[in-house]
Amino acid sequence: MTLHVFNPEHDIALAYDNKYFTAPHAGRQLRHDLDYLPILWAEEGDYVLVENVSSAQQHALRLQRYGKQVQFVDRNDVERLSEQIDNVMPWGWDSSVKFQLGQLGVKASVLPEDKILAGIRQLSNRQFSSAVLRDVQKELSNPILLGKASYINSIVDLESVLQKIGKAVIKAPWSSSGRGVRYVDTVLDAALANWSKNVIKTQGGVMIEPYYNKVKDFGVEFYSDTEGVHYTGLSVFHTVSGAYVGNSLAGEEEKQSILSAYVSNDLLSEVITTLEKLLTSRLRGVYNGPLGVDMMVVAAEEGFMLHPVVEINLRRTMGHVALSLSAWEELHDRMMRIDYDGSHYHLHIVHKDR
């Protein structure tokens, strides 16, 4: 039986790389409020780890028809059921969630080895995304593909690069949902300099890239297994100040139609096929599970350009959740949204005009 775990604090845990990591309040709250979500991708009869079984059952009622019949289990249940658990599927693998599961009694034989976790962490660094971006551009050599990111490990070098490129985006190598991203207009002020120094000290460096005039966010979702990396669907999502807000629910043809206003379907297909090949060569034997590649459409003087690899997430994404819901035609033309009411997070499926 498979045990599913929703651990949305995963990206921050990767940055700290400490099995004793404690998530910040927002991460703990998100995990607590939406821990029932795996009902949307679990198989019939699977276990889903939640903090409170009764609360999870109540919240899951709204989504029950779109998911499978699962068994919600709490911390006390896991040890009792450990002999039946032969597979674990968290939102994302890191040393912290492995340690937590081990403490609950999950057998070591069904948890990944530390060297696998180290490989996943290394490939979750934005330096990996930057390398894949260069490979995609080299492979396709298409003039409307753009994107450049540099890894910098000193403030002196950071200021030097800024002088050359002007308006820029600075990113921590590991971060989540816009939290590790800063925008700078040529000059590094004291606050940004201190933030950059801290990231360099704790994570080894920062990524810097030109600021692009973005007009559309979207992603491409994949699944990696022993045979390779396979395309699973498009993800048209919405952000505010770089932070995730929600996903459009639609069929593939409709999403292709939306994006075709900016980028030809042929080019997008070429990029996806190239990513399947490149990611297979790098991930086979290291990572099994869902992953997503964020992309963006950029306004240019004569039309639009495509940034094909903004970042790569070696974990399940909200795009995968949206794909699960988009399998239901009745939900097309709606949006899956994550809202915070000041004390709790909620997943809502709303009409797009709301």
Side-chain angles (χ1 to χ4, degrees):
M1 199 73 74
T2 296
L3 174 68
H4 297 267
V5 185
F6 179 60
N7 59 316
E9 73 281 5
H10 163 71
D11 292 337
I12 308 173
L14 286 177
Y16 281 85
D17 194 28
N18 186 327
K19 67 180 182 180
Y20 301 113
F21 162 76
T22 298
H25 174 74
R28 298 196 306 274
Q29 192 70 56
L30 185 61
R31 180 172 181 168
H32 171 268
D33 292 339
L34 300 180
D35 56 11
Y36 61 89
L37 277 187
I39 65 166
L40 295 174
W41 59 85
E43 296 298 327
E44 201 77 23
D46 281 354
Y47 298 131
V48 175
L49 178 62
V50 297
E51 190 164 319
N52 183 294
V53 171
S54 296
S55 175
Q57 289 172 335
Q58 182 179 356
H59 284 97
L61 284 175
R62 295 180 302 110
L63 300 175
Q64 197 68 60
R65 66 177 297 180
Y66 307 119
K68 302 288 178 65
Q69 290 293 325
V70 303
Q71 299 182 57
F72 291 119
V73 296
D74 62 20
R75 300 168 64 89
N76 296 323
D77 295 323
V78 173
E79 186 170 4
R80 177 174 57 83
L81 298 168
S82 62
E83 288 303 315
Q84 299 176 36
I85 298 171
D86 57 13
N87 186 33
V88 181
M89 293 187 67
W91 184 257
W93 275 118
D94 54 69
S95 58
S96 173
V97 75
K98 176 187 174 179
F99 178 71
Q100 292 168 19
L101 291 166
Q103 291 291 98
L104 294 181
V106 175
K107 296 175 294 186
S109 60
V110 301
L111 298 174
E113 296 179 4
D114 288 345
K115 65 179 182 181
I116 292 292
L117 293 182
I120 291 172
R121 181 175 186 268
Q122 192 56 44
L123 293 170
S124 298
N125 189 310
R126 283 192 166 103
Q127 289 182 83
F128 174 63
S129 302
S130 177
V132 174
L133 169 63
R134 290 193 298 270
D135 288 347
V136 169
Q137 292 169 325
K138 183 178 180 180
E139 188 97 3
L140 294 180
S141 190
N142 190 305
I144 76 162
L145 295 178
L146 89 167
K148 182 179 181 182
S150 304
Y151 181 75
I152 304 294
N153 58 13
S154 79
I155 289 294
V156 173
D157 290 343
L158 182 60
E159 291 178 330
S160 174
V161 172
L162 274 173
Q163 289 178 358
K164 295 175 183 176
I165 66 175
K167 197 171 184 182
V169 184
I170 305 173
K171 300 179 179 180
W174 292 278
S175 63
S176 67
S177 192
R179 296 178 191 276
V181 177
R182 297 291 186 275
Y183 299 90
V184 56
D185 193 357
T186 309
V187 179
L188 202 63
D189 63 28
L192 275 173
N194 287 333
W195 178 85
S196 300
K197 287 176 184 176
N198 183 58
V199 174
I200 290 170
K201 181 180 178 181
T202 57
Q203 297 192 28
V206 293
M207 302 298 298
I208 182 168
E209 59 190 56
Y211 174 84
Y212 297 111
N213 186 14
K214 177 179 66 178
V215 295
K216 192 72 177 174
D217 281 307
F218 71 102
V220 179
E221 311 303 337
F222 298 91
Y223 197 93
S224 178
D225 57 27
T226 54
E227 295 181 1
V229 173
H230 315 280
Y231 169 69
T232 58
L234 291 170
S235 166
V236 178
F237 56 87
H238 311 271
T239 61
V240 174
S241 300
Y244 172 85
V245 176
N247 266 85
S248 294
L249 302 180
E252 282 297 291
E253 287 188 8
E254 182 181 342
K255 286 179 284 190
Q256 288 173 356
S257 176
I258 292 170
L259 296 174
S260 68
Y262 310 98
V263 180
S264 75
N265 288 332
D266 287 343
L267 175 60
L268 190 53
S269 179
E270 276 189 287
V271 169
I272 291 170
T273 301
T274 301
L275 281 169
E276 281 183 313
K277 183 179 75 171
L278 292 172
L279 291 172
T280 291
S281 68
R282 291 170 177 261
L283 299 182
R284 182 183 281 154
V286 179
Y287 178 75
N288 286 341
L291 65 141
V293 179
D294 290 346
M295 304 185 183
M296 67 176 170
V297 177
V298 175
E301 289 184 7
E302 298 180 1
F304 302 102
M305 300 182 75
L306 174 66
H307 191 317
V309 187
V310 177
E311 67 181 45
I312 298 172
N313 295 301
L314 290 190
R315 56 168 169 79
R316 193 173 297 276
T317 70
M318 285 298 174
H320 287 98
V321 181
L323 287 177
S324 297
L325 289 168
S326 293
W328 297 83
E329 194 169 341
E330 66 190 77
L331 296 180
H332 290 186
D333 296 322
R334 299 194 186 187
M335 188 171 98
M336 179 191 82
R337 204 169 66 192
I338 305 295
D339 295 320
Y340 182 63
D341 64 11
S343 56
H344 294 285
Y345 291 92
H346 305 275
L347 183 144
H348 291 130
I349 298 173
V350 301
H351 291 284
K352 287 183 180 178
D353 57 357
R354 287 181 57 185

